[in-house]
Amino acid sequence: MDLVLNRYSPDERYDVIIVGAGPSGLSAAVRASEQGMNYLLLEAEEEPAGTIRKYQRGKHVMAEPRGLPLQGALPFAAATREDVLERWEEAMAEHRIEVRYEARVISVNRLDQGLEVVLADGEKLVADHVVLAFGVQGNLRKLDVPGGDLPQVQYQLDDPEAYRNETIVVVGGGDSGVENALALTGRNQVIVVNRDEDFSHCRESNLSQLTEARQKGALDWLLETTPRAVERNHQGEFPITLVVSTPEGIERIPCHRIIARLGALPSRPLLEKFGIDFQTPDPTALPQLSPRYESSIPGLYIIGALGGYPLIKQGINQGYEVIEHILGNPVEPADAPLLREKFAKLGADLDIDEALAKIQRGVPLLAQLNTLQLRELVLESNVLLVNPGDIIFKRNDYSTTFYSIVEGDLDVLIDEDNIPDAVLKAGEFFGEMALVSGRRRPGTVRARTRCLLIETPRQAMLKLIGSVPAIRRMLDEAAIKSAVLICIGLSLKEEELDSLARSAVLRQYAAGDELFHEGDEADGLYLIQRGSVTVSRMIGGREVVLFYVAAGNYVGEMSLISGEPRYGTVRAAVATEAVFIEAARMREIIDRNPEIRAALDERYMQHLQEQEMRQQMEVSVDTGTMSVQGSPSNLFSFLIQQGVGEATDVLLIDESLCVRCNYCEQACADTHGGASRLDRDTGPIFANIRVPTSCRHCEHPHCMKDCPPDAIHRAAHGEVYIDDSCIGCGNCQQNCPYDVIQMAVVQHDRPERSLWQIMLGIQPKVTPAVDSRKVAVKCDMCKDIADGPVCVRACPVGAALRMKPEELMGYAGGGTLPGVGGG
Amino acid sequence: MQVAGRCPAWVGASMQRGNIFDYRNYRYFKLAVILILLALAAWLLFDPAVGHYGGSWLGYGFGTLSAFMVLWMAWYGVRKRRYRGTGATQGWLSAHIYLGTAMTVIVTLHSGFHFDFNVATLAYGLLLVVVVSGFFGNYAYMIYPRQMTDNMGEDSLDSLLLRIAEADKLARQIALQMPDDINNVVARACRETTIGLGVLEQIRGYQPDCPSALAVEQLGGLGRHLSSDQRTLYHELYSIMVRRQSLVKRARQDLMYRARLGIWLYCHVPFTFALLTALMAHVVSVFIYW
Ligand SMILES: Cc1cc2nc3c(=O)[nH]c(=O)nc-3n(C[C@H](O)[C@H](O)[C@H](O)COP(=O)(O)OP(=O)(O)OC[C@H]3O[C@@H](n4cnc5c(N)ncnc54)[C@H](O)[C@@H]3O)c2cc1C
Ligand code: HEM
Ligand code: SF4
Ligand code: SF4
Ligand code: SF4
């Protein structure tokens, strides 16, 4: 390759053009400069590292994953936002980085030789290689109207306190727009302009605050309204006027400032426009990349957040590596030492590539992955060597990891006897139920021989399921089979089980969807795979919820057995997935297997009794012996509305006992770094029961999606907790629909107070926090405190209680066998 | 005790691990009854030669037992702040209440009904104050929580105060466009209404001659001479003032409940300290004069 150092000239041809001056792009540029390449760095904004610049002032930038070494000459260590940016600017100056600002790339085209990069202003540049590193944050949708580029139009709100006595128009009815608007109320006149007819895209809490603010007159909104133009005023109090079209016609709003929060453009359409292929049609899928970060277009590389690596350090390493790859130099990926460590147990000097190849040969499921994906999977996983007799996990454990067997055999024990119910062999995998249901393990797994296992965290597996269709298909098949096995098939012969599983289908339901309706003909049996359902029935003219059935159980067996129409309506309480087996297939099985018939019959009798009991309870409401509000079904409905249907453990406060002493919060704060993770005073109330603002430890924690360092986990007893790799990005706070995550500085826990301190009311000295960085905090159910949750134990009157929804809903299903029949 | 008036029994059954009275199936109630019966039996069966008083061997027994129980009772204040401790605070409180009552009986037997102007009688008096305040506290814990919920619903005190402030602002603004007499009434109500300033006021739960109530009353009579334009505004103002008054009432009620739930502790705790001091003096003097 001809590497001539020469200055930029319009019709020259570059070795490499790097798009985006974030950490990844900067690192690539630094390496390209060190290697003396003819390169150019393009950045859409006026300064480098737009994403980091948009962090809040003084934010502590964290260098996760901690164990990963840093490659290349771009410096990076945990520090404040300002320090990090300063280091980078120094490095840019030192390496004389060739960068063009305000150069937004809008298109990349293939030429016969090389690639053509088109900028927003129409200029075209040519290069042999292009590295895309423009992240996933940058491309904010702009106000595309005349005057949209006036300085009074801004696209972010750094410091709401900075504005006073202004008239501010916020354009956009999404969460960020509404949050900005709310932050500005009180000191300013705020008007929200929303294109839609309501704010249904907003979170519940934002919506209620917004409505309240409007009722109080603190802000106003215009619906079904779109901006047409922004005009500059040359006199008067207001510098600009926003012209909008409303259902009533054109309106003019004089104001000081416009804050447009129109959301970010997703990167996928842009990349697809460039002609880049994606792994699957799934919206979460990532672009197809070779182990050298090359996309489906030769010469076009993708690194950093855009390629699916959400942390700064990963991006910097890839920036270095991609340049080496382009130059054709052998480069050991930064993760190599970590991988070597993972494989250390397997033999002193096992080559990494060999070890990876062995895994792919051994496990067909993992053979579906490309090398990059496999490396990442192994990095996030544990490599386990277990001895015969070792228990991998026990029945009813809450662990959520997924296992692939590279070598060895294991026994599965589903019921109480100590006789293995199934055998797992090399090449198979297990633990997949935890991926779908987020609940307890249905059986114990014990090593029969010496085994080599790969234990992968749930989050890493879910990422793969989203991007590799073959993996999704294989896991779905396995999930159906084990659901069938666990719910009904223990005594089935292998072939029968297989054929039953093959004929079963996986069905998805949104919250509120019906699985079947009261009075319907029985169509089949539903095994609830994830989520939960309610069974309701019309009693005295109103629909009454009778039962709540959690994942791992089945519904619909009753009318299968009796042949009568459906007894009740079964509805998904939250997003639910069920394995459906047709009635005819089921009857066939029942006829051929007297054991299954007997088991179903027994359950049928039991449910008949339960139904009778519940129904009488409801009827007594109608005849006046019970008040309607307090009827169990109303409490059910209320609790399901509060998300209890997807909870695994909720805190409730019996307001008729609570003496408002606040000891619950105090106890929580004292044992959790000074910030209480529950807010006793807020949260809805029904029949004296308050659901306070506190984590429900959801079956499928919404908070877990998009956590860049994967810091949110589920512990052995179901606790959803955040570990100390949290980088404080706030994504989880946004994602939790119940508003229970706060960003707070965690102090050292207060030491136990001495007798004197207590008697004299002295608070012990708190050693100041090591660093005052804000991280996400939420309830961890006191998983590290012996004797369990302190909120409950601190309550002097027993008003604070923790409940599992199964207990609460009057039905204790150990998570596996029992099913409540709605059919 | 019934769990919750509006909660059906089965919800109660699944939601309740029992309150402080029926904790663990009346465990401490039973213990207290046994203690009292044993003490009474001892009192009736053994008739010391010297008669019933603190100096008899039975008196010493009762005295020692009571002294330790008083210390244990006071320890509750420490225990409830030790969050990492094992067990539930609820059980401790249940025991505190029942065993405290039993102990009072034992102390009375210990005294042999001899009361004088001495430190022993002082200690006994202090004990009674602590116990009586404890009973009041108990009563408060039993009845106020439910009333508080009925009064507040899902609102918090902060949200009420915020809404009152908002109503103030709105009412004042509208009143500016009204004749002076109306404006004055409204302005005075907004200026002079206080919510829980004094302790007494908090405990009573109302402000005597509350300017807000007065304003609503007076406003009713002032609307007659208004033009039809002003009349619509006047109606709005009136409804705001009525809403405001009910908010004020609810906020005061809430403060009242809070005060009543807390005030007795200002007696219970200091007197506990006084009692501990008197008790110490009593014990020391007994050993000196032995
Ligand atoms: C609030 C928050 C906090 C975070 N905290 C941390 C942390 O503490 N530690 C950590 O490791 N990670 C953190 N992250 C993640 C981290 O910011 C990203 O992983 C990292 O910025 C990705 O780097 P990148 O170079 O791939 O992309 P980016 O940093 O997003 O850089 C992309 C650059 O490209 C520019 N650009 C965009 N479009 C174009 C275009 N069309 N043409 C030209 N240029 C373009 C942008 O202006 C930008 O400068 C956080 C993320 C957020 C949102
Ligand atoms: C010698 C007798 C007693 C002593 C020394 C004693 C002492 C105490 C102390 C130190 C506290 C802790 C207060 C605090 O720190 O908040 C307390 C709380 C309390 N006591 Fe007593 N007490 C006695 C008897 C009683 C009796 C007989 C009753 C009931 C009939 C009673 C009822 C209560 C109640 C309801 C509380 C409040 C519990 C709470 O909110 O945590 N006490 N007592
Ligand atoms: S933080 Fe929110 S989303 Fe996460 S488990 Fe708790 S309640 Fe569910
Ligand atoms: S703030 Fe939440 S999403 Fe972000 S790193 Fe921390 S735990 Fe993860
Ligand atoms: S500790 Fe119990 S009584 Fe006190 S505020 Fe909390 S729930 Fe209410």
Side-chain angles (χ1 to χ4, degrees):
Chain A
M1 202 174 290
D2 182 25
L3 301 180
V4 196
L5 260 180
N6 52 4
R7 300 271 99 198
Y8 164 74
S9 77
D11 52 2
E12 77 173 290
R13 185 187 180 94
Y14 294 93
D15 296 333
V16 56
I17 289 180
I18 300 155
V19 185
S24 321
L26 281 175
S27 165
V30 165
R31 188 61 189 159
S33 149
E34 283 180 333
Q35 294 285 27
M37 291 171 92
N38 178 21
Y39 72 95
L40 180 66
L41 177 60
L42 298 175
E43 165 58 50
E45 296 180 15
E46 291 152 29
E47 291 166 308
T51 301
I52 283 77
R53 224 167 271 281
K54 285 185 198 97
Y55 293 175
Q56 82 222 30
R57 209 163 291 140
K59 173 181 159 23
H60 183 91
V61 182
M62 286 164 243
E64 295 290 329
R66 255 167 271 182
L68 188 68
L70 192 70
Q71 300 223 53
L74 186 71
F76 178 57
T80 61
R81 180 193 82 139
E82 289 69 20
D83 284 346
V84 169
L85 289 173
E86 204 183 306
R87 285 301 97 70
W88 289 348
E89 271 162 29
E90 282 164 17
M92 285 177 76
E94 185 192 327
H95 293 274
R96 307 239 209 100
I97 297 301
E98 293 290 339
V99 54
R100 267 171 78 185
Y101 294 115
E102 300 186 54
R104 173 173 298 278
V105 171
I106 53 169
S107 164
V108 177
N109 305 317
R110 281 165 98 154
L111 302 177
D112 289 341
Q113 285 258 301
L115 297 159
E116 177 188 64
V117 175
V118 186
L119 302 186
D121 62 8
E123 190 181 346
K124 294 185 171 121
L125 303 166
V126 180
D128 291 330
H129 308 274
V130 172
V131 176
L132 297 182
F134 55 74
V136 287
Q137 305 279 330
N139 296 296
L140 287 180
R141 217 183 282 267
K142 296 283 159 82
L143 200 55
D144 197 12
V145 298
D149 49 0
L150 285 172
Q152 288 89 349
V153 182
Q154 60 194 58
Y155 296 93
Q156 69 191 83
L157 178 62
D158 290 328
D159 182 12
E161 305 286 330
Y163 307 110
R164 268 165 213 282
N165 302 322
E166 291 194 359
T167 299
I168 301 176
V169 182
V170 176
V171 183
D175 279 314
S176 41
V178 169
E179 277 163 22
N180 284 176
L182 288 170
L184 289 165
T185 55
R187 294 174 305 277
N188 303 287
Q189 183 74 36
V190 183
I191 302 158
V192 183
V193 169
N194 184 0
R195 185 178 51 169
D196 299 334
E197 55 182 359
D198 55 25
F199 289 88
S200 54
H201 296 301
C202 273
R203 282 200 296 161
E204 197 63 37
S205 61
N206 279 336
L207 186 58
S208 59
Q209 282 183 52
L210 186 73
T211 322
E212 200 179 309
R214 183 162 187 254
Q215 271 163 7
K216 283 196 235 144
L219 60 70
D220 202 358
W221 66 54
L222 292 169
L223 300 178
E224 294 180 75
T225 298
T226 39
R228 285 279 171 254
V230 186
E231 292 170 2
R232 201 202 307 258
N233 299 331
H234 294 285
Q235 52 190 359
E237 190 198 340
F238 299 103
I240 50 171
T241 297
L242 174 66
V243 184
V244 294
S245 73
T246 72
E248 280 85 50
I250 297 290
E251 226 177 280
R252 304 172 62 84
I253 314 172
C255 58
H256 293 93
R257 191 174 302 285
I258 295 173
I259 296 178
R261 299 307 303 256
L262 309 169
L265 290 166
S267 53
R268 179 165 180 158
L270 189 64
L271 293 182
E272 277 177 334
K273 208 180 86 188
F274 296 176
I276 293 167
D277 291 340
F278 276 72
Q279 291 166 339
T280 66
D282 196 296
T284 59
L286 297 169
Q288 250 173 30
L289 295 182
S290 78
R292 303 164 67 226
Y293 311 113
E294 195 164 6
S295 71
S296 56
I297 299 178
L300 183 60
Y301 297 77
I302 300 181
I303 57 171
L306 191 61
Y309 298 86
L311 292 169
I312 294 174
K313 218 195 248 178
Q314 297 169 328
I316 293 182
N317 286 340
Q318 294 181 352
Y320 171 90
E321 288 164 23
V322 78
I323 294 297
E324 295 299 299
H325 285 313
I326 289 175
L327 291 173
N329 298 337
V331 50
E332 172 154 275
D335 58 18
L338 299 180
L339 281 179
R340 214 167 282 132
E341 205 177 301
K342 295 248 175 210
F343 291 131
K345 291 180 217 157
L346 307 188
D349 40 33
L350 190 72
D351 180 70
I352 294 178
D353 291 329
E354 250 170 55
L356 291 174
K358 177 173 169 179
I359 292 174
Q360 289 209 304
R361 271 196 313 274
V363 188
L365 182 79
L366 300 184
Q368 312 294 329
L369 305 180
N370 69 29
T371 332
L372 269 186
Q373 287 168 327
L374 184 66
R375 285 184 93 99
E376 213 191 330
L377 178 97
V378 175
L379 265 185
E380 292 183 53
S381 305
N382 286 324
V383 177
L384 303 176
L385 260 182
V386 294
N387 292 316
D390 283 359
I391 302 239
I392 314 301
F393 54 70
K394 289 213 188 74
R395 193 162 95 92
N396 286 346
D397 271 4
Y398 250 123
S399 52
T400 55
T401 48
F402 175 88
Y403 296 83
S404 313
I405 313 170
V406 185
E407 282 171 4
D409 294 346
L410 301 102
D411 289 329
V412 186
L413 304 131
I414 293 181
D415 38 28
E416 294 301 339
D417 60 25
N418 205 19
I419 305 159
D421 296 292
V423 183
L424 294 163
K425 297 205 174 59
E428 295 183 334
F429 50 85
F430 59 96
E432 73 284 357
M433 291 283 272
L435 296 180
V436 271
S437 77
R439 290 206 170 216
R440 296 157 187 271
R441 298 283 192 198
T444 301
V445 174
R446 196 174 57 197
R448 170 183 285 209
T449 62
R450 218 172 127 75
C451 303
L452 173 58
L453 306 175
I454 310 265
E455 179 187 11
T456 313
R458 173 167 183 262
Q459 215 53 23
M461 271 324 280
L462 292 182
K463 203 160 135 193
L464 287 181
I465 293 174
S467 48
V468 186
I471 292 217
R472 152 157 290 169
R473 208 184 48 245
M474 289 169 87
L475 284 174
D476 274 354
E477 278 165 14
I480 290 176
K481 200 169 150 185
S482 46
V484 173
L485 176 73
I486 286 159
C487 285
I488 44 174
L490 279 188
S491 53
L492 281 183
K493 282 189 281 302
E494 184 74 23
E495 318 84 74
E496 235 172 355
L497 181 64
D498 276 346
S499 93
L500 189 59
R502 260 197 308 280
S503 68
V505 286
L506 209 54
R507 289 190 178 171
Q508 260 107 14
Y509 302 89
D513 282 0
E514 277 181 13
L515 279 68
F516 53 77
H517 197 83
E518 182 178 346
D520 281 358
E521 202 54 46
D523 56 348
L525 186 68
Y526 296 77
L527 319 177
I528 312 296
Q529 180 65 349
R530 56 169 278 192
S532 56
V533 298
T534 57
V535 181
S536 60
R537 189 170 159 74
M538 294 299 284
I539 297 179
R542 66 197 174 91
E543 186 171 343
V544 169
V545 179
L546 296 178
F547 297 102
Y548 161 87
V549 184
N553 302 287
Y554 53 81
V555 289
E557 85 286 5
M558 294 209 57
S559 29
L560 263 185
I561 292 180
S562 66
E564 283 166 20
R566 296 292 193 194
Y567 162 85
T569 300
V570 172
R571 234 189 222 104
V574 293
T576 296
E577 227 171 68
V579 174
F580 172 72
I581 305 174
E582 266 182 29
R585 285 290 289 143
M586 214 41 228
R587 292 216 178 85
E588 232 176 86
I589 299 268
I590 294 173
D591 287 343
R592 254 184 289 138
N593 294 277
E595 264 183 65
I596 292 181
R597 152 129 253 156
L600 285 173
D601 272 350
E602 191 187 322
R603 202 155 308 139
Y604 173 74
M605 300 306 289
Q606 187 192 334
H607 293 156
L608 219 54
Q609 284 168 18
E610 281 171 14
Q611 282 175 357
E612 192 51 35
M613 212 176 79
R614 286 297 325 253
Q615 193 158 349
Q616 278 176 15
M617 222 148 24
E618 289 301 329
V619 171
S620 65
V621 172
D622 287 332
T623 52
T625 28
M626 248 184 220
S627 73
V628 169
Q629 202 200 9
S631 90
S633 67
N634 284 337
L635 191 63
F636 270 175
S637 315
F638 165 73
L639 290 171
I640 282 172
Q641 253 173 33
Q642 295 315 313
V644 176
E646 62 174 342
T648 61
D649 191 298
V650 257
L651 177 65
L652 300 176
I653 292 182
D654 187 334
E655 295 269 317
S656 68
L657 293 180
C658 168
V659 297
R660 278 71 168 175
C661 63
N662 248 4
Y663 269 81
C664 42
E665 285 192 21
Q666 191 68 48
C668 180
D670 270 15
T671 48
H672 291 83
S676 170
R677 280 97 201 273
L678 74 115
D679 187 349
R680 171 188 70 75
D681 227 10
T682 59
I685 300 185
F686 185 87
N688 289 338
I689 304 300
R690 190 193 284 268
V691 186
T693 306
S694 169
C695 178
R696 290 127 164 84
H697 301 274
C698 302
E699 192 174 293
H700 288 275
H702 308 271
C703 51
M704 278 188 192
K705 3 178 218 268
D706 349 300
C707 171
D710 202 3
I712 309 181
H713 311 275
R714 168 159 246 142
H717 298 286
E719 308 92 337
V720 174
Y721 68 97
I722 302 180
D723 70 21
D724 51 12
S725 67
C726 167
I727 56 173
C729 70
N731 286 354
C732 55
Q733 191 185 26
Q734 294 289 323
N735 284 336
C736 168
Y738 307 109
D739 257 348
V740 306
I741 300 184
Q742 326 155 37
M743 308 306 290
V745 174
V746 178
Q747 297 163 337
H748 286 293
D749 282 351
R750 290 224 179 90
E752 199 97 292
R753 290 199 288 172
S754 72
L755 182 57
W756 286 113
Q757 286 172 325
I758 287 177
M759 295 216 304
L760 301 176
I762 302 172
Q763 289 293 342
K765 261 206 218 88
V766 177
T767 18
V770 230
D771 41 31
S772 56
R773 60 198 174 89
K774 281 197 170 177
V775 294
V777 298
K778 66 178 270 306
C779 161
D780 62 359
M781 241 150 72
C782 296
K783 69 181 177 59
D784 300 324
I785 297 176
D787 263 29
V790 291
C791 49
V792 171
R793 287 188 296 121
C795 178
V797 292
L801 1 140
R802 289 205 155 270
M803 279 275 148
K804 307 216 174 294
E806 299 97 303
E807 294 163 11
L808 185 66
M809 310 274 185
Y811 149 63
T816 48
L817 285 168
V820 168
Chain B
M1 191 176 93
Q2 217 217 327
V3 178
R6 283 180 270 144
C7 255
W10 77 270
V11 178
S14 65
M15 301 248 344
Q16 278 289 309
R17 298 157 312 157
N19 54 36
I20 41 182
F21 301 103
D22 57 15
Y23 184 79
R24 295 273 159 93
N25 207 8
Y26 297 97
R27 174 190 287 179
Y28 296 106
F29 172 69
K30 291 174 189 161
L31 193 62
V33 169
I34 292 171
L35 259 181
I36 294 178
L37 289 180
L38 282 180
L40 281 177
W43 166 268
L44 293 176
L45 287 181
F46 305 104
D47 198 359
V50 284
H52 277 298
Y53 90 113
S56 70
W57 63 270
L58 188 62
Y60 272 120
F62 281 152
T64 316
L65 180 63
S66 324
F68 279 111
M69 283 181 79
V70 166
L71 288 180
W72 184 80
M73 300 294 289
W75 182 252
Y76 171 74
V78 175
R79 169 59 187 79
K80 73 180 248 195
R81 287 175 179 77
R82 287 264 163 100
Y83 305 120
R84 286 183 195 83
T86 52
T89 311
Q90 193 196 1
W92 277 75
L93 181 57
S94 185
H96 183 86
I97 290 169
Y98 284 122
L99 299 187
T101 312
M103 178 203 57
T104 315
V105 175
I106 296 174
V107 173
T108 311
L109 297 182
H110 163 73
S111 77
F113 304 101
H114 297 279
F115 301 111
D116 262 320
F117 280 106
N118 58 14
V119 75
T121 308
L122 174 67
Y124 187 73
L126 293 173
L127 176 78
L128 285 189
V129 175
V130 173
V131 168
V132 168
S133 63
F135 274 108
F136 174 80
N138 232 318
Y139 167 78
Y141 279 20
M142 259 165 55
I143 62 159
Y144 291 134
R146 180 145 351 121
Q147 295 182 6
M148 278 180 98
T149 315
D150 289 345
N151 180 44
M152 294 298 268
E154 283 177 22
D155 294 325
S156 66
L157 184 59
D158 284 345
S159 76
L160 287 195
L161 295 180
L162 211 72
R163 272 152 69 193
I164 293 172
E166 292 293 336
D168 274 2
K169 222 160 62 185
L170 213 60
R172 277 179 193 232
Q173 214 163 30
I174 297 179
L176 283 180
Q177 301 165 41
M178 294 275 131
D180 277 352
D181 50 351
I182 294 188
N183 190 14
N184 287 341
V185 167
V186 172
R188 179 165 169 254
C190 297
R191 204 173 49 236
E192 289 175 13
T193 305
T194 61
I195 296 169
L197 271 189
V199 176
L200 203 66
E201 202 178 275
Q202 279 193 25
I203 300 266
R204 275 196 295 190
Y206 65 91
Q207 183 184 9
D209 306 323
C210 167
S212 299
L214 216 64
V216 170
E217 214 172 284
Q218 289 171 347
L219 269 186
L222 292 175
R224 261 164 258 139
H225 316 291
L226 295 174
S227 67
S228 63
D229 262 5
Q230 281 178 322
R231 197 164 274 279
T232 43
L233 268 183
Y234 166 80
H235 283 305
E236 198 180 327
L237 180 62
Y238 188 74
S239 77
I240 291 172
M241 290 303 281
V242 169
R243 192 177 72 223
R244 192 178 154 284
Q245 193 207 344
S246 100
L247 288 171
V248 166
K249 252 197 197 148
R250 282 173 60 205
R252 283 201 186 118
Q253 284 278 315
D254 192 56
L255 276 173
M256 176 193 82
Y257 292 127
R258 282 165 195 248
R260 291 192 184 176
L261 279 171
I263 189 86
W264 63 277
L265 275 171
Y266 288 93
C267 187
H268 202 64
V269 177
F271 275 84
T272 295
F273 279 99
L275 167 63
L276 289 178
T277 321
L279 181 65
M280 199 124 73
H282 168 58
V283 173
V284 169
S285 67
V286 166
F287 276 105
I288 288 175
Y289 292 111
W290 203 5

